[in-house]
mmCIF file of all heavy atoms in Angstrom:
data_model
loop_
_atom_site.group_PDB
_atom_site.id
_atom_site.type_symbol
_atom_site.label_atom_id
_atom_site.label_comp_id
_atom_site.label_asym_id
_atom_site.label_seq_id
_atom_site.Cartn_x
_atom_site.Cartn_y
_atom_site.Cartn_z
ATOM 1 N N ALA X 491 26.166 2.830 -5.770
ATOM 2 C CA ALA X 491 25.985 2.480 -7.166
ATOM 3 C C ALA X 491 25.190 1.188 -7.294
ATOM 4 O O ALA X 491 24.296 1.060 -8.139
ATOM 5 C CB ALA X 491 27.341 2.327 -7.856
ATOM 6 N N PHE X 492 25.502 0.243 -6.415
ATOM 7 C CA PHE X 492 24.791 -1.023 -6.471
ATOM 8 C C PHE X 492 23.307 -0.815 -6.171
ATOM 9 O O PHE X 492 22.437 -1.391 -6.833
ATOM 10 C CB PHE X 492 25.398 -2.012 -5.484
ATOM 11 C CG PHE X 492 24.914 -3.400 -5.682
ATOM 12 C CD1 PHE X 492 25.454 -4.200 -6.675
ATOM 13 C CD2 PHE X 492 23.892 -3.916 -4.907
ATOM 14 C CE1 PHE X 492 24.986 -5.484 -6.886
ATOM 15 C CE2 PHE X 492 23.410 -5.202 -5.106
ATOM 16 C CZ PHE X 492 23.966 -5.986 -6.105
ATOM 17 N N VAL X 493 23.027 0.020 -5.182
ATOM 18 C CA VAL X 493 21.632 0.292 -4.834
ATOM 19 C C VAL X 493 20.905 0.941 -6.020
ATOM 20 O O VAL X 493 19.784 0.581 -6.358
ATOM 21 C CB VAL X 493 21.552 1.182 -3.584
ATOM 22 C CG1 VAL X 493 20.142 1.675 -3.365
ATOM 23 C CG2 VAL X 493 22.039 0.416 -2.367
ATOM 24 N N LEU X 494 21.592 1.896 -6.672
ATOM 25 C CA LEU X 494 20.975 2.550 -7.830
ATOM 26 C C LEU X 494 20.690 1.532 -8.920
ATOM 27 O O LEU X 494 19.657 1.589 -9.597
ATOM 28 C CB LEU X 494 21.905 3.646 -8.369
ATOM 29 C CG LEU X 494 22.008 4.882 -7.492
ATOM 30 C CD1 LEU X 494 23.042 5.840 -8.063
ATOM 31 C CD2 LEU X 494 20.658 5.570 -7.382
ATOM 32 N N PHE X 495 21.615 0.593 -9.078
ATOM 33 C CA PHE X 495 21.432 -0.440 -10.083
ATOM 34 C C PHE X 495 20.232 -1.331 -9.736
ATOM 35 O O PHE X 495 19.432 -1.686 -10.593
ATOM 36 C CB PHE X 495 22.713 -1.269 -10.197
ATOM 37 C CG PHE X 495 22.611 -2.381 -11.174
ATOM 38 C CD1 PHE X 495 22.580 -2.112 -12.543
ATOM 39 C CD2 PHE X 495 22.521 -3.702 -10.749
ATOM 40 C CE1 PHE X 495 22.468 -3.150 -13.454
ATOM 41 C CE2 PHE X 495 22.405 -4.735 -11.657
ATOM 42 C CZ PHE X 495 22.380 -4.453 -13.005
ATOM 43 N N ILE X 496 20.087 -1.646 -8.456
ATOM 44 C CA ILE X 496 18.929 -2.441 -8.022
ATOM 45 C C ILE X 496 17.632 -1.680 -8.295
ATOM 46 O O ILE X 496 16.645 -2.241 -8.779
ATOM 47 C CB ILE X 496 19.034 -2.768 -6.510
ATOM 48 C CG1 ILE X 496 20.187 -3.734 -6.268
ATOM 49 C CG2 ILE X 496 17.732 -3.345 -5.979
ATOM 50 C CD1 ILE X 496 19.937 -5.138 -6.740
ATOM 51 N N TYR X 497 17.638 -0.377 -7.993
ATOM 52 C CA TYR X 497 16.447 0.433 -8.273
ATOM 53 C C TYR X 497 16.089 0.343 -9.756
ATOM 54 O O TYR X 497 14.927 0.217 -10.124
ATOM 55 C CB TYR X 497 16.685 1.901 -7.909
ATOM 56 C CG TYR X 497 16.722 2.193 -6.430
ATOM 57 C CD1 TYR X 497 17.117 3.439 -5.970
ATOM 58 C CD2 TYR X 497 16.363 1.234 -5.502
ATOM 59 C CE1 TYR X 497 17.156 3.723 -4.614
ATOM 60 C CE2 TYR X 497 16.407 1.505 -4.144
ATOM 61 C CZ TYR X 497 16.810 2.741 -3.705
ATOM 62 O OH TYR X 497 16.845 3.033 -2.381
ATOM 63 N N LEU X 498 17.114 0.431 -10.578
ATOM 64 C CA LEU X 498 16.881 0.355 -12.025
ATOM 65 C C LEU X 498 16.248 -0.978 -12.393
ATOM 66 O O LEU X 498 15.246 -1.048 -13.111
ATOM 67 C CB LEU X 498 18.209 0.527 -12.772
ATOM 68 C CG LEU X 498 18.102 0.320 -14.277
ATOM 69 C CD1 LEU X 498 18.438 1.614 -14.999
ATOM 70 C CD2 LEU X 498 19.006 -0.769 -14.788
ATOM 71 N N LEU X 499 16.820 -2.037 -11.847
ATOM 72 C CA LEU X 499 16.313 -3.381 -12.135
ATOM 73 C C LEU X 499 14.841 -3.495 -11.729
ATOM 74 O O LEU X 499 14.005 -4.020 -12.455
ATOM 75 C CB LEU X 499 17.149 -4.384 -11.349
ATOM 76 C CG LEU X 499 17.394 -5.734 -11.980
ATOM 77 C CD1 LEU X 499 18.198 -5.560 -13.251
ATOM 78 C CD2 LEU X 499 18.130 -6.637 -10.997
ATOM 79 N N LEU X 500 14.541 -2.967 -10.546
ATOM 80 C CA LEU X 500 13.175 -3.078 -10.047
ATOM 81 C C LEU X 500 12.224 -2.209 -10.853
ATOM 82 O O LEU X 500 11.080 -2.581 -11.093
ATOM 83 C CB LEU X 500 13.124 -2.692 -8.563
ATOM 84 C CG LEU X 500 13.778 -3.729 -7.654
ATOM 85 C CD1 LEU X 500 13.929 -3.205 -6.244
ATOM 86 C CD2 LEU X 500 12.953 -5.006 -7.640
ATOM 87 N N ASP X 501 12.705 -1.032 -11.279
ATOM 88 C CA ASP X 501 11.874 -0.180 -12.125
ATOM 89 C C ASP X 501 11.510 -0.911 -13.406
ATOM 90 O O ASP X 501 10.376 -0.842 -13.881
ATOM 91 C CB ASP X 501 12.606 1.121 -12.469
ATOM 92 C CG ASP X 501 12.452 2.139 -11.353
ATOM 93 O OD1 ASP X 501 11.685 1.868 -10.420
ATOM 94 O OD2 ASP X 501 13.106 3.197 -11.424
ATOM 95 N N VAL X 502 12.494 -1.604 -13.970
ATOM 96 C CA VAL X 502 12.231 -2.344 -15.209
ATOM 97 C C VAL X 502 11.245 -3.482 -14.941
ATOM 98 O O VAL X 502 10.292 -3.681 -15.691
ATOM 99 C CB VAL X 502 13.545 -2.883 -15.810
ATOM 100 C CG1 VAL X 502 13.256 -3.820 -16.967
ATOM 101 C CG2 VAL X 502 14.425 -1.734 -16.266
#
Side-chain angles (χ1 to χ4, degrees):
Chain X
F492 192 80
V493 170
L494 288 175
F495 178 72
I496 292 288
Y497 287 171
L498 174 116
L499 214 64
L500 289 170
D501 277 353
V502 171

